Amino acid sequence: MPPAGRTSTAQQLVRVPLTDVSDVHLHRIDDGQWRVLDRRLPSDDVAALLGFVERTGGLYEVTLMGRPREHVPCPDLRCAALTFVEHGVELG
């Protein structure tokens, strides 16, 4: 816990949505499945988890952590990563 009056890195980033695809990391967890992480946080920090990507047929299906019932279809992995930036995903 940070000293009184100071915020942790994760707390500071809560208010800062992703604006650059370079902050998005696709971590392959299985054939056709990726966990999507925010590079601004340590990969073992639960707050870094942004969502998932799964290859379904000829498309990549994006699931955002804040909207688990919505699935965004993408033609490639770059589009999938950009989805997290375009949807203004925030930590927390």
Side-chain angles (χ1 to χ4, degrees), residues 13 16-26 36-41 48 50 78 81 84-85 89 91:
L13 289 175
V16 182
L18 292 165
T19 58
D20 192 323
V21 73
S22 67
D23 289 331
V24 177
H25 173 66
L26 298 173
V36 183
L37 303 169
D38 186 330
R39 289 184 189 269
R40 301 175 297 176
L41 294 174
L50 300 172
R78 174 136 176 95
F84 291 88
V85 176
V89 173
L91 299 174

Side-chain angles (χ1 to χ4, degrees), residues 24-87:
V24 177
H25 173 66
L26 298 173
H27 178 257
R28 187 175 174 168
I29 54 177
D30 202 354
D31 287 341
Q33 296 180 336
W34 294 263
R35 177 176 45 216
V36 183
L37 303 169
D38 186 330
R39 289 184 189 269
R40 301 175 297 176
L41 294 174
S43 62
D44 62 348
D45 187 331
V46 69
L49 182 61
L50 300 172
F52 298 91
V53 175
E54 183 174 2
R55 176 96 182 190
T56 56
L59 294 175
Y60 294 86
E61 187 174 278
V62 174
T63 303
L64 305 165
M65 287 303 293
R67 302 177 189 138
R69 294 181 189 199
E70 293 179 31
H71 303 284
V72 181
C74 292
D76 55 45
L77 285 174
R78 174 136 176 95
C79 172
L82 283 168
T83 300
F84 291 88
V85 176
E86 292 168 358
H87 283 257

